[in-house]
Amino acid sequence: MTAPTHVWKLTSLADAARARAALDRIVTEGGAPAPERARFLSSLTARLRESVARGEGGELLLGVRPGPSPDGGRLDIWLRPAGASRPGAQDAPTVTCALPHPPAGDGLREGPRGGLPLPEALLRADENTATVLRLLDEQEDLVRLHREELHKTNQGVLALHAELEAAAVAQRELLEAERAARAEAERARRLLTFLADASAAITSSLSPTAVLRRLADMLVPEYAAHLDVWLFDEENEDPDGKHAPRVRGRSAAAVAAVRTGRPQHAADHPGGLPGTDDLPASALSPDRPLLAIPLVARRTLGVLSLTAPGARFDADTGVMLVELARRVAVALDNARRYERYRDTAEALQRAQLTDLPDLPGRLLAARYLPATRGLNIGGDWYDAFVQPDGGLLAVIGDVTGHGMHAAVVMGQLRTALRAYAVEDSSPAAILTKLHRMLGHLEPELYATAMIARFGPDGSEVVWASAGHPPAVVRAADGSVRVLDTKPGVMLGLPVPFTYQDHRADLPPGSSLVLYTDGLVERRAEGLDPGIERLGRAMAGLDAEELDHDLDAAADTLLKQLLHDSEHEDDVCVLLCHTPAAAVQRPLGRRRELSVAAIGEDVTAGRR
């Protein structure tokens, strides 16, 4: 701050007006900008008016304070009552005004009377006001321009916001559409995967019961709350297939599916399932939709009825279920055809198995078990008969291939072997003739066989083998040996071959077992481990049982080797025993076992 250098006395309102006019001239000459000048004069006028209104005399003290630039400065004014102490340098001025140029010294010294006359000063005040108003107009114009620009900017921001919102909505819609498409694709992939897995499961079995059990396990509860399969009995159907079986207890949708050959949807609302007819809700399932699909494969086999797991069937799921039903029908038809073919081949096979002869001093027991898996039926056989000289010929054989053709070829071999045995007693000679005969009649089929001849009087066995597993002999003391002399080639191979006879002692108390490979062969194993198991089983047989109940001994042998009920090939066993003491008993019985015979109760499966 600076101390005042000039003092102006104010004794009346006119002095105050003259002082204002003088100060207006001073700040104008000092180059104060119009707004700063108007602000200064307005503040000064207000202070002077207050002082005059109180009726006090006063003094104006003026001082010029130098500014930062050499030419500029600042005018400080103190307004105080008359007789008051003089302000110091530390006292703030009442009003102040920046001056770009230093004021003239005459103006400060002359005091209020050095200013403009009052009329002229009044007019000059209007100029200051006009200047301020002009500036205000300019500022208003600028404000208006800024307001317009701000409005335009706001409009642009709003438009941009709307565009961004629209883009966000479009992006959300695209994301939702993509999510829905992916979900649809995933649902379709899941249905196709399930259809493929289900098809593989139901077509891998040739048992109708297994097919239906697997179907129920796969569909319930994910795709159906309840499943029912109505299969028609082939024997009770009309030959022309035009009339459905009895429909008592069946839903109207199932009956309609049989009559129309089309899937039927029964519910209190339209199903909207492709290729499916709509019916009213079923009385058997009033709360949930019922889908009845005919099982058609060459003919109508039955109806698959499914109760919806929820309020309705999905359209894609409905299409999958219809396709699955078609594949189930094919699997059931194949299983039924397989069973008929298997039963026919098994019946033919059994019809050609002969009764065993009655001979004093010789005990015979035979077993035949058809394969429990696949069509491996029809190639294995056994035979035993007495030759014209009184000798006993025991035969075991296995034709390559299975089914009806193998059973027929087996019958031809059996018949030819009996014919050759009438003229020749040598097992090797008989096999040599069979070898030539099979190669001529059935060049595409081969067979293995083994013939053992027991002389009418001696305790010796003469045998010959055509590629067949070796016989196993149990001595009276329980020791076991395998007749493993190198066998001849298989019957029917396109090579000339002459078989050789081999001899082995068979004293009283001895047993000889002939068998086919189904008894000893196991998956992932050769024949040798199975033959070793057979030898151990023969050694474990009870000698008393062998002498008095050879059938029970044969059952014991099978139970030890076929401890489970599943086997993939036919099994033939021919057990020959020479009792330690002559045992006279009827021997002309053939023993055949079903799969159930190789269980806890062997006698339950005997025929």
Side-chain angles (χ1 to χ4, degrees):
M1 298 296 175
T2 184
T5 57
H6 299 81
V7 178
W8 291 359
K9 298 291 184 178
L10 301 176
T11 59
S12 64
L13 181 61
D15 291 340
R18 292 188 185 94
R20 181 189 181 284
L23 291 173
D24 183 11
R25 189 189 68 178
I26 291 172
V27 297
T28 301
E29 291 176 353
E36 184 69 19
R37 190 168 64 246
R39 188 177 297 109
F40 166 76
L41 292 174
S42 296
S43 177
L44 176 64
T45 302
R47 297 299 179 89
L48 291 173
R49 188 182 300 112
E50 292 176 358
S51 178
V52 171
R54 288 194 298 268
E56 300 176 352
E59 294 177 340
L60 279 178
L61 290 86
L62 294 84
V64 177
R65 184 181 0 143
S69 62
D71 296 335
R74 197 166 192 87
L75 176 63
D76 294 332
I77 297 175
W78 289 265
L79 178 63
R80 67 174 188 172
S85 62
R86 187 180 183 87
Q90 72 278 4
D91 294 331
T94 304
V95 290
T96 182
C97 181
L99 300 177
H101 309 291
D106 295 341
L108 295 176
R109 287 192 299 272
E110 291 176 356
R113 297 189 181 276
L116 296 174
L118 289 179
E120 185 176 352
L122 181 60
L123 293 176
R124 187 180 182 88
D126 291 339
E127 292 180 0
N128 291 334
T129 303
T131 300
V132 172
L133 292 176
R134 185 171 61 254
L135 292 175
L136 289 176
D137 290 340
E138 292 176 356
Q139 293 298 320
E140 288 181 355
D141 291 340
L142 289 175
V143 170
R144 184 172 61 256
L145 289 175
H146 288 315
R147 186 180 292 113
E148 291 177 355
E149 291 179 358
L150 181 60
H151 178 70
K152 293 179 180 178
T153 302
N154 289 338
Q155 293 295 324
V157 170
L158 291 176
L160 179 60
H161 179 73
E163 292 178 358
L164 292 177
E165 180 66 21
V169 171
Q171 186 176 14
R172 283 197 299 269
E173 292 176 351
L174 288 176
L175 289 176
E176 290 295 332
E178 181 182 3
R179 189 178 294 110
R182 288 185 177 182
E184 184 72 19
E186 176 61 22
R187 185 165 58 252
R189 185 200 63 79
R190 183 172 58 85
L191 290 176
L192 289 176
T193 301
F194 173 80
L195 181 62
D197 294 342
S199 300
I202 62 177
T203 55
S204 63
S205 175
L206 289 174
S207 168
T209 303
V211 169
L212 297 179
R213 182 174 59 250
R214 294 176 184 178
L215 179 66
D217 292 341
M218 290 182 294
L219 291 181
V220 179
E222 183 176 0
Y223 295 100
H226 177 71
L227 177 147
D228 178 71
V229 180
W230 177 21
L231 291 180
F232 306 154
D233 187 354
E234 295 180 2
E235 297 180 358
N236 295 332
E237 283 190 63
D238 293 337
D240 57 6
K242 295 181 180 179
H243 301 288
R246 291 177 296 179
V247 298
R248 181 178 300 174
R250 302 296 176 178
S251 66
V255 176
V258 175
R259 292 174 177 172
T260 63
R262 290 173 54 85
Q264 304 293 319
H265 176 266
D268 56 2
H269 59 269
L273 304 181
T276 303
D277 300 334
D278 286 321
L279 293 176
S282 172
L284 299 180
S285 180
D287 300 329
R288 292 190 178 186
L290 180 68
L291 182 62
I293 309 172
L295 301 175
V296 181
R298 298 183 303 131
R299 60 183 184 83
T300 302
L301 303 178
V303 178
L304 172 64
S305 297
L306 303 169
T307 304
R312 61 190 310 119
F313 281 105
D314 178 70
D316 292 337
T317 302
V319 173
M320 183 274 293
L321 292 174
V322 171
E323 174 60 21
L324 179 60
R326 184 187 67 81
R327 301 186 185 190
V328 169
V330 173
L332 289 174
D333 185 58
N334 290 339
R336 285 186 170 183
R337 295 175 64 187
Y338 156 76
E339 286 189 338
R340 290 195 299 269
Y341 186 85
R342 174 190 171 92
D343 292 344
T344 302
E346 183 177 350
L348 178 61
Q349 176 90 352
R350 292 185 182 280
Q352 298 187 87
L353 297 177
T354 57
D355 292 331
L356 301 178
D358 297 337
L359 283 178
R362 299 289 181 191
L363 303 179
L364 299 176
R367 295 291 183 271
Y368 169 70
L369 282 77
T372 58
R373 296 177 182 173
L375 280 172
N376 298 339
I377 296 176
D380 294 13
W381 94 95
Y382 66 84
D383 198 1
F385 55 91
V386 179
Q387 293 182 289
D389 64 353
L392 173 66
L393 211 65
V395 183
I396 197 83
D398 186 0
V399 177
T400 59
H402 302 92
M404 294 287 291
H405 187 52
V408 171
V409 173
M410 179 270 290
Q412 294 174 345
L413 285 176
R414 172 181 168 276
T415 302
L417 187 148
R418 283 195 168 221
Y420 296 146
V422 172
E423 299 178 356
D424 203 327
S425 62
S426 167
I430 297 173
L431 286 179
T432 302
K433 294 178 180 179
L434 283 177
H435 176 59
R436 290 197 299 266
M437 185 273 291
L438 185 59
H440 175 69
L441 296 181
E442 295 288 346
E444 301 298 328
L445 280 183
Y446 311 108
T448 64
M450 185 171 185
I451 302 176
R453 171 180 163 80
F454 301 89
D457 300 321
S459 59
E460 182 184 59
V461 60
V462 180
W463 58 276
S465 175
H468 200 80
V472 177
V473 175
R474 179 190 185 278
D477 60 358
S479 61
V480 174
R481 69 183 189 275
V482 180
L483 303 183
D484 55 357
T485 303
K486 183 178 179 180
V489 300
M490 294 177 64
L491 298 175
L493 284 179
V495 293
F497 192 82
T498 301
Y499 296 89
Q500 300 295 322
D501 284 332
H502 305 279
R503 299 179 183 277
D505 292 332
L506 201 65
S510 301
S511 303
L512 180 144
V513 62
L514 304 175
Y515 56 92
T516 56
D517 55 1
L519 180 68
V520 296
E521 190 174 27
R522 298 293 180 269
R523 184 176 296 182
E525 288 185 1
L527 290 177
D528 291 343
I531 295 175
E532 292 177 2
R533 287 193 296 269
L534 175 60
R536 292 193 295 270
M538 286 288 290
L541 293 178
D542 182 67
E544 185 72 18
E545 189 176 55
L546 287 170
D547 283 339
H548 295 87
D549 193 352
L550 194 62
D551 286 331
D555 293 339
T556 301
L557 189 66
L558 290 178
K559 287 173 64 177
Q560 294 184 34
L561 293 174
L562 302 177
H563 52 80
D564 59 351
S565 60
E566 296 289 329
H567 49 94
E568 299 181 352
D569 200 358
D570 287 3
V571 175
C572 268
V573 176
L574 182 56
L575 184 59
C576 309
H577 179 68
T578 304
V583 178
Q584 299 297 330
R585 59 185 290 268
L587 300 176
R589 293 186 297 162
R590 178 182 67 203
R591 298 294 303 281
E592 302 170 7
L593 296 181
S594 64
V595 177
I598 313 303
E600 297 180 356
D601 185 6
V602 176
T603 59
R606 295 175 183 170
R607 300 184 183 179

